[in-house]
Amino acid sequence: MPNSQFPIPNSQFMNNPIIWLHGDCLSPEGPAFQAHPEAPAIWVWDDALIDEWQLSLKRMVFIYECLLELPVVIRRGNVAAEVIAFAIESGANQVVTAESPSPRFQDICQEIKRSHPVEVLPPDPFVRYDGYIDLKRFSRYWRVAEKYVF
């Protein structure tokens, strides 16, 4: 018989998140994994983004190799729909992710928010720079960033 002085919490009030990984947070040291180390995580290959940014096979292999080192479920399709489906399957009441400068990021977050609250955590910046950096190719990014790293 449970002690009425200490009631069992209702599951809807418990923090039960999933982690949504994207291309700007592929580290086990990322803020979402640090905040919720036991939460299940998902990555979704975004075909529209791959086509739009013309990601090379080499880049996709690099991302896949990073994912293999993480405790993550890998899916393909509409990012928001797959994240929502994973949250429902996991019994999650929240989606946690890291900030992203990607133009698609806010749209995807808004779509997910129709179903689940989204907590966006700031990552520790690799480089402190306020100007424009082309994020489509690492070499373009690195030409600017390396001046501020070393």
Side-chain angles (χ1 to χ4, degrees):
M1 185 165 126
N3 185 336
S4 62
Q5 192 174 9
F6 302 100
I8 298 170
N10 185 334
S11 64
Q12 75 182 23
F13 299 111
M14 294 179 71
N15 189 10
N16 187 30
I18 63 159
I19 296 171
W20 164 38
L21 294 178
H22 50 73
D24 295 314
C25 63
L26 286 173
S27 169
E29 305 301 316
F33 278 123
Q34 294 300 307
H36 304 282
E38 300 301 318
I42 184 169
W43 163 274
V44 182
W45 288 106
D46 184 345
D47 289 330
L49 180 72
I50 291 168
D51 290 341
E52 180 184 330
W53 283 27
Q54 298 177 2
L55 293 182
S56 69
L57 180 59
K58 191 177 198 178
R59 177 71 178 155
M60 290 189 291
V61 168
F62 171 77
I63 292 169
Y64 182 68
E65 289 173 342
C66 291
L67 294 171
L68 291 176
E69 296 181 14
L70 297 170
V72 63
V73 170
I74 301 171
R75 295 193 179 171
R76 180 178 174 185
N78 176 288
V79 176
E82 291 297 330
V83 170
I84 291 167
F86 184 69
I88 291 168
E89 292 162 16
S90 301
N93 61 3
Q94 179 184 30
V95 175
V96 179
T97 192
E99 287 178 348
S100 172
S102 171
R104 296 171 58 86
F105 179 75
Q106 289 301 326
D107 293 338
I108 294 169
C109 284
Q110 289 302 321
E111 206 169 322
I112 294 169
K113 284 179 184 177
R114 293 182 190 150
S115 173
H116 289 77
V118 177
E119 181 181 8
V120 179
L121 301 173
D124 289 333
F126 178 66
V127 173
R128 295 199 186 278
Y129 179 76
D130 291 331
Y132 173 78
I133 297 179
D134 185 345
L135 299 175
K136 290 185 180 179
R137 299 283 185 262
F138 179 78
S139 60
R140 294 177 195 166
Y141 162 80
W142 189 245
R143 270 188 230 120
V144 174
E146 71 179 331
K147 298 170 191 169
Y148 298 90
V149 175
F150 301 111

